[in-house]
Amino acid sequence: NAGVTQTPKFQVLKTGQSMTLQCAQDMNHNSMYWYRQDPGMGLRLIYYSASEGTTDKGEVPNGYNVSRLNKREFSLRLESAAPSQTSVYFCASSAYRDNQPQHFGDGTRLSIL
Amino acid sequence: AQKITQTQPGMFVQEKEAVTLDCTYDTSDQSYGLFWYKQPSSGEMIFLIYQGSYDEQNATEGRYSLNFQKARKSANLVISASQLGDSAMYFCAMRGMKTSYDKVIFGPGTSLSVIP
């Protein structure tokens, strides 16, 4: 079972370059999320999508855009990468029920020079 | 606005002893869910336990239990009989179910080290 698949796993960018992180889930989940994880700060929510066709800002949306392409796919775009966006990015999905936990991808380690 | 606070950046516990990891939260929603996840050094996120805001009993899952005090807005995780494999980061998370529907935020985490 694939679960949540993120690509790429690693990426190095130069300041100002753009990039799209891809995420796909095969569990028929309605909700999808993008987080960034930095040391000492836990996972901070960037954007989320509670259903196909909707997206909402999280705690740290500045510098990012998202697209819920269909029910399976939720992409995160950095239009002009900055060193402050160096982080580990996690995609997650969950079913449309209160007590359902999130399922996470393996993460993308992104370094911006 | 929603907020999760975990005031213990790092904790140590002796093997086979019990340990409590603190979590306090703030939300304007009357209905919400609380989750705990474990993240070992390998990086994957592992779901441990769930507590709904309207659940009258504290949740339990094997060696994990929640000390849920709704009036104090706290949901502390208790791990009984600690094992070396419990050494990891532990995150408390909250899902909104009304005004912030399906928004899930995390606390900064607690690093637990189990000592042999």
Side-chain angles (χ1 to χ4, degrees):
Chain A
N1 294 331
V4 179
T5 303
Q6 289 183 236
T7 55
K9 295 191 185 306
F10 302 94
Q11 185 71 46
V12 179
L13 294 177
K14 293 181 180 179
T15 297
Q17 288 185 317
S18 61
M19 165 142 202
T20 299
L21 307 185
Q22 307 286 353
C23 175
Q25 52 91 8
D26 62 0
M27 295 170 282
N28 201 36
H29 286 167
N30 284 297
S31 303
M32 298 187 73
Y33 307 80
W34 276 106
Y35 294 92
R36 59 177 290 173
Q37 183 174 24
D38 303 292
M41 303 189 77
L43 281 76
R44 290 183 292 169
L45 181 64
I46 305 172
Y47 273 92
Y48 67 107
S49 170
S51 63
E52 186 179 354
T54 68
T55 61
D56 288 285
K57 293 180 179 179
E59 302 167 286
V60 288
N62 291 346
Y64 305 94
N65 286 302
V66 290
S67 295
R68 183 75 183 264
L69 304 170
N70 47 56
K71 193 171 185 179
R72 290 186 64 249
E73 298 171 288
F74 189 38
S75 63
L76 178 72
R77 182 160 178 85
L78 287 71
E79 289 290 354
S80 178
S84 60
Q85 294 177 305
T86 292
S87 188
V88 179
Y89 290 84
F90 284 97
C91 177
S93 70
S94 71
Y96 189 77
R97 287 190 63 182
D98 301 343
N99 64 347
Q100 293 302 301
Q102 293 170 302
H103 297 253
F104 286 82
D106 291 336
T108 295
R109 189 172 296 274
L110 182 62
S111 294
I112 299 162
L113 307 176
Chain B
Q2 296 172 295
K3 185 177 181 181
I4 301 269
T5 302
Q6 294 179 256
T7 58
Q8 305 153 315
M11 290 278 287
F12 291 89
V13 64
Q14 204 75 37
E15 193 178 7
K16 300 180 185 178
E17 296 292 314
V19 63
T20 298
L21 306 184
D22 294 343
C23 172
T24 58
Y25 58 91
D26 192 18
T27 179
S28 55
D29 282 350
Q30 294 300 308
S31 179
Y32 50 88
L34 297 158
F35 300 80
W36 277 90
Y37 291 86
K38 172 184 177 181
Q39 186 181 43
S41 58
S42 52
E44 74 267 32
M45 296 291 287
I46 302 168
F47 165 68
L48 298 177
I49 195 167
Y50 166 83
Q51 179 83 42
S53 59
Y54 287 107
D55 293 342
E56 293 186 352
Q57 293 196 340
N58 287 339
T60 60
E61 288 286 349
R63 294 188 298 112
Y64 304 108
S65 61
L66 261 175
N67 182 2
F68 179 50
Q69 298 185 49
K70 189 172 181 179
R72 297 181 62 182
K73 294 189 175 179
S74 73
N76 299 338
L77 177 70
V78 180
I79 305 174
S80 63
S82 297
Q83 301 172 355
L84 295 178
D86 293 335
S87 293
M89 285 292 295
Y90 288 82
F91 295 100
C92 180
M94 177 170 61
R95 162 181 265 151
M97 297 178 190
K98 293 291 184 183
T99 56
S100 305
Y101 187 77
D102 228 27
K103 181 178 183 180
V104 182
I105 62 165
F106 284 74
T110 295
S111 177
L112 178 66
S113 297
V114 180
I115 304 167

